[in-house]
Structure formats: structure tokens, C-alpha cells
Amino acid sequence: MHKKEIKNIKKEYKEFYTQFIHIDDNTFSIHININEDIKSKFLNLNDNKDNILILIIKLHSNCFEVLNKNLEEQTKYFESVENIFNFFCPISFKIFITKNIENKLVDLVHNLYKNKKWAEIKLNKFDTINNIKKKIYGHTGTLSNNMKLYAYNELDIENTQIYLKDDNLSLNDYGVKDSYIIYIHEVNPAFHNDDIYNIDDDKKLENLKHLKYEINDEDYDKRPDSFRKFIQKIRQSQKNAEKAENQENQENQENQENANKNICNGELCNSNLCNGELYKVGSRCRIKIGDRRGTLKFVGNLKNNDVIYVGVDLDEPLGNSDGFYQKKKIFECKGDKYGYIGNINSIEVGDFPPFDIMNFDEF
């Protein structure tokens, strides 16, 4: 009785044959498309109108008996299915093998994760077990040195168990087939009994309590790179940012109040603060906050209130505008972020040339 073996052959080579027919528990037939390499080997097949090679295969305890139905010649005997295909259609079979090198699909199970299965992982069947372990590490996180691998057919565990012991051999050397289970047993040199508790098993994890590392608060606070210190730095930086923002808001409010005091009936007053000669378009100026420098391009009202605003074409893209206000262009500047719009009291007019980046005394 070879039902299971026939079932495996049908599944593993389904991309190679065109039709698979069960004849009895030990016999089946395979239909293969005839191409040039088959025709060159069996010249009589040139007259085959269906262009199909039909092989009748019977399984014995130690070999395969094969009849080429197209030629009705004497039966031949082979040790494996691969030998059959290599004899009747060598080039086609080689192409099939090459295309399917990466198509060895296996399921992974792990001794630490009893409720987890990695289904249909593609592995190169000609890759060494050492390289297979490296690939499995990417899926499970288990180091290759801490890994023992076993393979088996889930439908026939008793007769198919394989210990993949030699790292220099391949899955193909061990005869691992599609849909096999690769069982990963993780071991740890720290445990003399070569055992690790199941991560999914809460009861067994209770036994690991004695391995818990503890440190008191005093010793922990002495560490310069602790997580607690990191959180403290983050919180302090947030406080500093809030403080700077509040200070800037307060300065803006004071500037607006000062500007309102220097407005006379909606017109610029004649004081030095709002003097037309002092705030002359084209004058050099600087933004007080950040010492950003540029050329004054606009002085006037923007919001139909008593506040006077200025527009500055900055030397560097450190501004808040591109010269437009509410989609209306109010002054020319070099581009985005080169414009600055703000309260008139936020700038200082005077001899403020562009910074010379080669003069380090300016910084």
C-alpha cells in the first residue's frame, strides 16, 4: 500500500505533469507534454498527434516499475521518481527543478510558542542547514547557535522524523519535501538541562521568577543613561519650550500694546518710534528675536485696526512669509521663508549689514 507516497508525488510534481491518474493503490499514470528533448530521445514519438508522453508507474517496496505507454516497450525499473524523469525528459525536468529551487514550502513550529505556526515559508531545498537556520532566525528571533531543527510529515510523523543535525547538508540531502513541518527546538547554554520554558505557558514561567533582576531606586538614579533620566530630559525640554513660547507671546503682546500707544487716529504718529523717516522702505533692519536681518519692504496696516505691521525681505530663509498676506502680495522677497511679517515694534532699523559667514566674531 503506497497511498501516502503516491499522494506526495502528485503534490510535489504537480507543476511538471499535465495529468495525474490513480489506477490502484500502487499504480498511477502521469501525462507529460512532449517537447524537443523528449522527441530527440524517443524518435518514434514524432508521430504522436496528442503530443503527450504517458508513463504508467507502479510502486514496489524498493523501486518504481515504469511503462512508456506511447511506445509499449519493455518496462524499466528506477530507484526514485527523479530518476524516472531524468531518463524520459532530462532537459524538461532540469528546467522544472531550477524553477522550483525556491519553492520548497514548509511550516515552522517552535518549542517556545506552542500556539504559533509560521505557515508556508519558502526555503531553498539546496541551501545548507546553516543558511536555513539564518533564515529561520529572521522569522522567529532564535539564534542559529541555539537552534536544533527537526523535520517531519505531519500526516506520517512516526516514519518521517528527521533530525537536521549536519549544518553542511541541505534540505534536499535529508529528503525534506513540500508541506513538511520544520520543528525548531531552542536551547540555551545557560541552562545545564538544555531546556527553555515555553513562552506561552504561564505556569512554567513562574519558575523563572528567581532570574528577575532588581535594583533599588538609589542605585538606579546614579546611572547616567537610565530610562528615568531620559524621561526627565524630555520633560525638561518640554518645559523649556513652553517657557520660551510664553515669553515670545508676552513680548508680542507688549509690542502690540506699544504700537497702539503710538497710533494717532489710525495714522502713524510723528514720534521717533513710528516716524516715516525712521521706518523708510528700503532701510536695513533686523528682527529682534533671533537677530534675523534684511531689508524693510512694507510698512502699513493689514487688519483694519490700529496695529502697524512691517514686511521684511530677509537675507536668509528664516521668516514666516513669502511676501503674500491673505493671498495678496504686499511686498517682494526672494522666496518662501525669505519674507517676514510682524508688528512694527518687532524690528529695529539701522546699520545691519548681512552676516559674513567667514567672520566668526559676528557669531
Side-chain angles (χ1 to χ4, degrees):
M1 300 288 286
H2 297 88
K3 281 186 177 181
K4 290 182 180 178
E5 190 168 355
I6 291 176
K7 184 178 179 180
N8 288 335
I9 293 171
K10 180 180 180 180
K11 183 175 182 179
E12 185 167 357
Y13 299 100
K14 63 181 179 181
E15 301 296 332
F16 183 63
Y17 59 78
T18 58
Q19 190 175 1
F20 190 102
I21 301 173
H22 288 275
I23 298 175
D24 57 39
D25 290 345
N26 300 315
T27 311
F28 61 94
S29 72
I30 283 183
H31 294 201
I32 302 171
N33 282 330
I34 295 176
N35 53 27
E36 293 305 317
D37 72 308
I38 299 177
K39 287 182 179 180
S40 63
K41 190 173 182 67
F42 304 100
L43 298 178
N44 293 339
L45 292 179
N46 287 317
D47 299 329
N48 188 314
K49 295 181 180 180
D50 295 330
N51 216 33
I52 295 292
L53 172 66
I54 301 175
L55 301 178
I56 309 297
I57 302 174
K58 184 174 183 178
L59 275 69
H60 297 282
S61 59
N62 59 352
C63 67
F64 294 82
E65 181 182 353
V66 182
L67 171 66
N68 182 341
K69 190 174 181 181
N70 300 74
L71 302 180
E72 296 291 346
E73 60 185 6
Q74 187 176 359
T75 57
K76 299 182 182 299
Y77 295 88
F78 300 89
E79 292 182 355
S80 67
V81 175
E82 288 83 358
N83 289 343
I84 296 172
F85 295 146
N86 275 326
F87 177 80
F88 286 99
C89 39
I91 297 177
S92 300
F93 188 59
K94 184 177 181 180
I95 293 172
F96 166 76
I97 290 295
T98 303
K99 286 182 178 179
N100 288 276
I101 281 179
E102 292 287 347
N103 288 344
K104 185 63 67 180
L105 296 178
V106 299
D107 294 345
L108 302 181
V109 296
H110 199 294
N111 71 310
L112 298 190
Y113 302 92
K114 64 180 181 181
N115 299 320
K116 171 75 174 175
K117 177 185 280 190
W118 293 264
E120 294 192 338
I121 303 297
K122 282 188 178 182
L123 297 176
N124 186 331
K125 68 178 182 179
F126 296 112
D127 221 346
T128 63
I129 299 302
N130 186 49
N131 287 334
I132 296 295
K133 286 181 177 180
K134 292 177 182 178
K135 289 184 179 180
I136 291 176
Y137 165 74
H139 291 282
T140 66
T142 298
L143 296 174
S144 56
N145 291 336
N146 294 348
M147 206 184 286
K148 287 183 179 180
L149 299 184
Y150 302 84
Y152 58 87
N153 183 344
E154 198 169 19
L155 301 176
D156 189 16
I157 298 176
E158 186 176 345
N159 296 316
T160 59
Q161 293 181 62
I162 309 167
Y163 176 26
L164 309 179
K165 184 177 181 180
D166 192 336
D167 283 353
N168 296 315
L169 296 181
S170 67
L171 292 178
N172 191 62
D173 293 328
Y174 280 111
V176 175
K177 302 182 183 299
D178 273 335
S179 300
Y180 262 43
I181 302 291
I182 300 291
Y183 176 78
I184 305 138
H185 181 77
E186 182 172 340
V187 296
N188 192 325
F191 291 87
H192 298 294
N193 61 358
D194 208 30
D195 188 27
I196 296 181
Y197 292 109
N198 193 307
I199 290 175
D200 292 339
D201 196 324
D202 293 333
K203 291 182 179 179
K204 288 185 177 180
L205 285 175
E206 286 290 321
N207 296 324
L208 296 178
K209 280 187 174 180
H210 65 284
L211 299 176
K212 182 180 178 182
Y213 176 73
E214 294 182 351
I215 185 172
N216 59 48
D217 287 342
E218 184 179 353
D219 291 337
Y220 185 74
D221 287 336
K222 291 178 181 178
R223 293 188 171 187
D225 56 350
S226 66
F227 183 71
R228 185 179 296 169
K229 289 281 179 64
F230 172 74
I231 294 298
Q232 289 173 350
K233 288 180 182 179
I234 294 295
R235 289 175 177 169
Q236 186 60 46
S237 64
Q238 290 175 341
K239 288 181 180 179
N240 293 339
E242 290 175 1
K243 184 177 179 181
E245 184 179 359
N246 292 335
Q247 184 177 354
E248 184 175 355
N249 291 337
Q250 185 176 355
E251 289 178 358
N252 289 337
Q253 185 176 356
E254 291 175 356
N255 289 337
Q256 184 169 339
E257 291 174 355
N258 291 333
N260 291 339
K261 292 177 182 178
N262 291 282
I263 297 296
C264 302
N265 299 322
E267 301 291 337
L268 278 173
C269 68
N270 292 323
S271 69
N272 287 334
L273 181 64
C274 298
N275 189 285
E277 291 297 323
L278 179 61
Y279 291 94
K280 186 176 180 179
V281 172
S283 302
R284 290 292 297 178
C285 63
R286 75 179 187 93
I287 315 300
K288 294 176 183 178
I289 297 177
D291 197 18
R292 294 164 286 172
R293 299 184 180 186
T295 303
L296 186 61
K297 291 288 188 176
F298 169 82
V299 180
N301 184 275
L302 292 176
K303 299 183 178 180
N304 296 322
N305 55 23
D306 294 335
V307 181
I308 302 301
Y309 291 89
V310 293
V312 180
D313 179 18
L314 297 172
D315 298 329
E316 299 178 74
L318 301 172
N320 58 9
S321 170
D322 57 359
F324 284 80
Y325 178 75
Q326 294 184 351
K327 298 183 180 180
K328 181 180 179 181
K329 192 170 188 178
I330 60 173
F331 66 92
E332 292 283 347
C333 67
K334 302 178 187 66
D336 190 28
K337 299 296 183 182
Y338 277 94
Y340 168 80
I341 297 176
N343 190 285
I344 192 171
N345 289 295
S346 66
I347 71 167
E348 181 181 357
V349 177
D351 183 18
F352 299 110
F355 284 114
D356 182 0
I357 61 173
M358 300 305 294
N359 185 359
F360 296 105
D361 293 335
E362 291 190 5
F363 297 94

